[in-house]
Amino acid sequence: MNDKRMTPKIAALQKAIEEAHVNIKEAHKDMSPEDIDIYHEIMEKMTPEMLTLKKIIDESHKSVKEASDILSPEEMQTYHEIMNEKYPHGTDDPHHGHHGH
């Protein structure tokens, strides 16, 4: 597209949208029609508050993963040792767990 109004930022937006479509289509590929129906039923029941909670949980998982990916295996081991000493019986937080390590 050689439209003179197509700035690099607008082109980047278009590319991101195209990639999102491909990713969504790819994700659907592995789902049965029943799964897709169930997904749509769940999404219809989702309130804005539920969607906000899901977004916050997803963002939190992403930031925890990014932070843990930076650690070396030794640092991760040290982290778990510190947590085990601090919380010998585990934490009361149901979301606290081993994040992919």
Side-chain angles (χ1 to χ4, degrees):
M1 184 184 279
N2 290 326
D3 190 317
K4 296 200 182 342
R5 296 170 297 167
M6 184 64 81
T7 66
K9 287 180 184 175
I10 294 171
L13 170 63
Q14 184 185 16
K15 185 173 189 291
I17 290 169
E18 287 168 2
E19 287 174 4
H21 280 294
V22 169
N23 291 340
I24 291 166
K25 195 173 177 197
E26 194 68 21
H28 271 80
K29 195 179 68 173
D30 298 329
M31 293 175 73
S32 70
E34 294 80 18
D35 283 347
I36 293 170
D37 287 345
I38 291 168
Y39 172 80
H40 287 295
E41 284 173 26
I42 290 168
M43 292 312 293
E44 284 169 19
K45 291 178 182 163
M46 292 283 262
T47 62
E49 295 78 12
M50 289 177 189
L51 291 169
T52 300
L53 174 62
K54 169 113 179 67
K55 184 176 175 221
I56 290 167
I57 290 170
D58 290 347
E59 287 169 359
S60 299
H61 281 286
K62 186 174 178 238
S63 60
V64 168
K65 181 173 180 353
E66 287 169 0
S68 67
D69 285 351
I70 292 167
L71 297 183
S72 68
E74 295 77 21
E75 288 170 317
M76 186 54 82
Q77 181 63 39
T78 302
Y79 167 77
H80 286 302
E81 287 168 9
I82 292 166
M83 287 294 109
N84 288 337
E85 288 166 19
K86 194 171 175 183
Y87 305 104
H89 304 295
T91 68
D92 291 335
D93 181 356
H95 295 291
H96 181 85
H98 296 282
H99 296 282
H101 289 275

